[in-house]
Amino acid sequence: MAACACRHQSATGDGAKTFVLLLAAVLGAMREGSPRRAARALPAFERRVLERAVARGLRPHLRSAFPAGGPGEELEAAALEALLEAYLRGRLGPGERRAVTLLGCELCARCGARRPPALRLLCGRFAQLHAAAAGLPLARSRVLPGVLLRRDFAAYCPAGGRLRAVLVTRCLRPVLTGPGVECAVRSERQHRAALRWCGGRTEAVMEHLRSGGVRLLLSGVKQHEEVIFYAKLHGVSVVECLSSEEVALISEIAGISPYDPAGDSVQGEIAEAAVVTFCQPLLLGSQRYVHIGFSSAGAFQPHCLVLCAPVDAINEQHAATLHGAFTMLLQLFRAVDQECGAEGESQNSASGVGSGYSPATETRVVTESIACGSSQVSEHQLGACRGETAAQSSDLALQESERPDGTPPASAPGPHSKELSVCTDGADSAGTHKLPALCECPDGMNESHRRQQAVCSHRNYCTAVASTATLCEHLGVGKGPEKAGYGVTQSCPSSILEAGSVLPVGGYFEILLHYYIQHYAKQVQQSAVTVISNVVADALLSIPKALYGTERNGFTKFYLETTEALRKNQPLPVNEKGLESVYCKYQLVTSVLHCVTELLNIDLIIGVKRPLQKTEDKDSDDDF
Amino acid sequence: MSRLEAKKPSLFISEPLTTVSQPLSLLIAILKSCYGPAGRLKQLHNGVGGYVCLTSQSSAILGHLSVSHPVLKVLTASVQNHVSRFSDCGLFTAILCCSLIENFKNLNIASCTIIKISKHLLSLCTDYLKSKACGCQVSVDFSNLETLLCLVRSILTSKPACMLNKTEVDCLAVLIVKAFMYTVPCHPETKPVLGKCVTVPLKGKRVLDSTVIPGLLIETPEIQFAKPFSVKRTSSDAVKVVVFCVSMSGDLFDPEEGTVTVHHKISLEMSELDQLLNVGKQLVNDEVGLVVCQKVIHPSLKQYLKDNHIIAVDRAGLSVMEPLSQVTGSKPIASIYSLSPSCYGSLKDVRAESFASKHFVHLIPNDTTVCSLILCNRNETTWDELKTCCLSTSSSKDVECSPTQYQLITDAFCHSLESVACSLSHDGGEILTDMAYGHCWLVPSGFPSASNWSDLLSKCGCGINSSTKDLNWRHLQPLFGSSPIESCPKEPSGKVTDFMTLDCFAAKYNGLQVAVETANLILDLSCVIEDQN
């Protein structure tokens, strides 16, 4: 449970506590009844109840964090603050959260990180983009323009105005020998001449840099004393021994690659130079930093955060919290796409991902799932697959029965009959329809498979479970519409969840989902699914119960007010400014359900004396 | 295979604040008794033996005390971080933080309300302290040395463990201010940069033998110079100086990968030494008078330089390199294969000096902001504190709660502040405050409390205000809740006088904020989970 919760937290930056609460509530309610049966019914529940509840029930209540009529995917400033504030409320003390929220908002705004490309950089490089100082009050924390490097200048020559900087990853002084190279010295004179040449060459390179307007040398390695000397002589500042992460950060934000004075000539333009607006030493406590103002070459406007707190551990906590918050914000730009095609086919497509899709006949399904890396396919699991296929047909029957009820599903695929033909005779045309959709997102699928396989020995079940919803990344700007318009538009008109969907915090998501799961469960005739639906719907209420547990009758009041409004089709009574990302919440629910499936399928726990080795090879039959 | 040990389960302590009362009051008692100019010394020692520490400084006490309660660990870490940054007001921060926790804990009000209100009160305090109306600030007038002297003297006297008597304090204070003045450039540019003051600690001499000299002292192991000491001068009567930061020992230790094959009868060491002697020749030709090397100089080269009347100082070390280039204007040379005359620097004079048992080369510059403070004392740490302090002086609603709660929390906040002030008195003497300025007055012990205050008191605690009849004193006692001062404190009437006690404002300001923030942090703890592995 802890491993699953941590994995979820590291992926979405949010929800570890909710994960455990929800998981405990679901498992607690499942103690009665057959765990195997419940585990088998979970995928069907997810496809037929949960996805519908989110796509149709929840949708009218959702708000968007992107401004209406604004320029595409950009977080609204007010929404950003509401999201951060609500996120930090669960993590920081009452004295700190307001100040840290404002810092986070300022950092995002000044970095241009309200849009995905810059936000992704801020999130990925946050460790390099913040510095901490202990012994000062939190109020002294600042957002600074530019970047702080955790080094001191090896040579510092103050220079005003804009200047150029180059990045190097090897020593600028030539060496007599290299690895595997032998240098033969025939006379003392020759040796002195060689050393003198090395020095001269170093000076020539430095002169060349200086004449090209370069006043700052950023080095990923330690430079020779002579390099520092000539740099000082020519008025070039040097920062050396940068970590590989810092080098990567600089080349990413300035859009340059490392400079290498190649060959014998030191002529020619220095193309790979960054423009620097200022460059100065900065002292934070006892730690010396180099503070450099890069002018940006991309979407990211370089700014960094200086965190202050009385104790170091508090700074670490604030930094980790902000990092988590940015990870959470990044998830907001994702959408959950409808699995294109009939819902009953999901495990076929799952097995197809690993090895390319092939028309689904029953025997092929089994062989594919073996090829997909499962260690063993027992007779039992074959039975399970057959059972699923049987469920498929009932599912299809259900969809057809649903059609005449006058509400054409917004997200469910229209041409059921066509998909039906896929199942029965494996028509080629359907195969070509599906192929692009599957090829677009194999990465995410494989990743989730691998992650699950790491902890779960029942791999077959994982493959059957993991892929009920295809999660497409909508992070590339403009890529989304193209995808939607490619090949599958007709069968897949919209997503389950659109990017940027938010809800007010305080249990509204759980209450809504509780309500709509119950609503859509009534339309399902399979008793196992109905049971699961009730279990999950009730388990969801454990979250608002925990939230309102401190007040007397707080939860009952909240529950009654909200459900009353839902029944009357009125807007929800919200007096809450904070927002939360619906993608993260939805992801949380599906992760919990996957975790439940894994846990329910465990029938034996074996304690071992030695620590487990991570085995990479997937077909290790000898283990059993 | 490494042995595996079963992991110990984590230790879970819920409601840590319920168990903190006793250790907290002990810590407060220790800290309070150290506070202020009349603070008492603490002797810290280990029962097993070893080093004994006599101190009243918060950094030493908190550093040596082994605190086991997790709440107090947070508190001491926070104070130590503050001290490492400001080197002052550590006791103030610690006492205030402790008494805030103690007072707030007894209130029985939800911690989030307390935190909200105390943050609000803190912002009121900081706003007042930053405002022009604040009577606590005395701006340092750099044209008048008295204020600077007072500041330095206050710090020196508040550290009784230095065992300085009054003459020694006066002497040191003058020296420190003098050293500080040397580092202020004579021709201020748009953005003046302070120079450097290098301390030379000397043990075994009297404090009164300390002195400040302009220029730089470089320690040399023995008198290695020809007597009488003379230095070669250029035609313009200056001494030319070259500084090397590369080793001149003649060793080959370039850490290059790969192999160097050397033919028979060829010695790279000889080649290197030849090059060193070439350098020597060029130095002689260029009329250089002094060679300083950060690392080792080869004995042959040293002898050669000596024969040619060039003073050679090696093993100078990295720490003097920066002041050395400031004093001489030379650039440290990193290659023995190219000597550029543009790297040479110059000095007005070079002398050999010895203090106590140590020998120095004294570099006397034409005009720079570098000076050396020769500090003769048993204690070498005070100087750093003094310098930081000198430098830092130069750089100088709607709360949702009931009115009763607000009143209670505000009272607790004020009592904590007052209890810090009260801990200035250690002999049972009374502490008064006046209603006009809000300053603190200390009554010596042994006087009846109903006597006529204006006869008894002459100056307030800090020395700014003199006693007059209309000051309207009252007792400052945190336990009995004091009536607030109605009017705003008046501007201090007195001018800066001789013997004022001053604190560094930046340190105090930060200490106040850190104390309140740490107290809030601790109040919000509901459980402690300790990993015992």
Side-chain angles (χ1 to χ4, degrees), chain B residues 124-344:
Chain B
L124 290 181
C125 291
T126 52
D127 286 350
Y128 171 70
L129 287 175
K130 272 191 287 189
S131 69
K132 284 252 161 63
C134 171
C136 310
Q137 283 187 59
V138 179
S139 62
V140 175
D141 179 7
F142 280 94
S143 61
N144 182 355
L145 288 179
E146 283 306 317
T147 334
L148 271 181
L149 272 175
C150 285
L151 178 60
V152 174
R153 211 183 283 124
S154 316
I155 294 168
L156 285 176
T157 43
S158 73
K159 309 284 182 279
C162 294
M163 310 285 280
L164 299 175
N165 62 29
K166 195 173 171 305
T167 23
E168 287 171 339
V169 167
D170 287 347
C171 162
L172 271 188
V174 170
L175 285 180
I176 287 162
V177 173
K178 208 164 146 190
F180 175 71
M181 297 318 281
Y182 268 124
T183 63
V184 180
C186 300
H187 311 290
E189 296 141 34
T190 45
K191 201 179 163 194
V193 181
L194 290 181
K196 269 206 158 22
C197 181
V198 181
T199 342
V200 183
L202 273 186
K203 288 186 184 176
K205 286 202 88 176
R206 290 185 312 144
V207 176
L208 293 177
D209 290 331
S210 305
T211 172
V212 175
I213 54 170
L216 189 66
L217 288 179
I218 302 175
E219 196 179 337
T220 51
E222 81 273 26
I223 294 291
Q224 44 172 297
F225 314 112
K227 285 178 186 169
F229 187 87
S230 69
V231 62
K232 206 159 78 175
R233 287 167 188 278
T234 57
S235 45
S236 57
D237 203 39
V239 181
K240 221 182 232 183
V241 185
V242 184
V243 181
F244 287 92
C245 61
V246 72
S247 167
M248 302 178 85
S249 65
D251 292 336
L252 299 159
F253 50 80
D254 259 0
E256 289 181 11
E257 292 177 73
T259 24
V260 176
T261 318
V262 182
H263 282 236
H264 185 55
K265 281 190 186 164
I266 293 178
S267 160
L268 295 184
E269 282 75 17
M270 278 309 294
S271 156
E272 193 78 1
L273 184 57
D274 278 354
Q275 181 58 33
L276 282 174
L277 292 176
N278 283 344
V279 170
K281 262 178 224 157
Q282 197 186 333
L283 293 177
V284 173
N285 287 341
D286 289 346
E287 297 183 295
V288 170
L290 171 69
V291 175
V292 183
C293 180
Q294 182 189 334
K295 295 168 185 176
V296 180
I297 301 181
H298 194 284
S300 314
L301 177 60
K302 237 181 187 176
Q303 188 59 42
Y304 176 81
L305 293 174
K306 195 175 173 184
D307 293 345
N308 288 283
H309 311 290
I310 297 178
I311 304 166
V313 178
D314 65 347
R315 295 188 170 105
L318 183 63
S319 55
V320 297
M321 292 314 269
E322 207 190 320
L324 192 59
S325 11
Q326 267 191 34
V327 166
T328 60
S330 62
K331 288 177 186 145
I333 296 170
S335 165
I336 57 165
Y337 287 93
S338 79
L339 282 189
S340 160
S342 67
C343 298
Y344 296 173

Side-chain angles (χ1 to χ4, degrees), chain A residues 396-415:
Chain A
L396 289 164
L398 174 109
Q399 282 191 344
E400 272 173 339
S401 72
E402 203 178 75
R403 273 178 99 191
D405 71 9
T407 49
S411 56

Side-chain angles (χ1 to χ4, degrees), chain A residues 30-40 600-601:
Chain A
M30 276 188 181
R31 266 183 301 199
E32 300 109 41
S34 151
R36 289 295 159 86
R37 192 154 163 266
R40 274 202 299 278
L600 289 181
N601 276 307

Side-chain angles (χ1 to χ4, degrees), chain A residues 123-190:
Chain A
C123 197
R125 303 270 173 217
F126 187 65
Q128 283 74 48
L129 289 170
H130 82 271
L136 292 172
L138 177 60
R140 295 280 295 271
S141 305
R142 290 278 179 279
V143 174
L144 295 179
V147 170
L148 285 180
L149 303 174
R150 230 151 287 188
R151 298 284 175 279
D152 196 8
F153 282 101
Y156 179 54
C157 310
R162 292 166 83 85
L163 46 107
R164 301 180 82 197
V166 288
L167 192 61
V168 293
T169 46
R170 62 182 197 85
C171 186
L172 286 183
R173 182 184 185 267
V175 288
L176 289 183
T177 62
V181 177
E182 185 179 301
C183 169
V185 179
R186 285 200 203 85
S187 72
E188 289 159 7
R189 232 185 135 78
Q190 188 197 26

Side-chain angles (χ1 to χ4, degrees), chain A residues 277-289:
Chain A
T277 47
F278 62 86
C279 145
Q280 65 210 23
L282 186 84
L283 193 69
L284 279 182
S286 53
Q287 175 74 46
R288 297 177 81 92
Y289 288 86

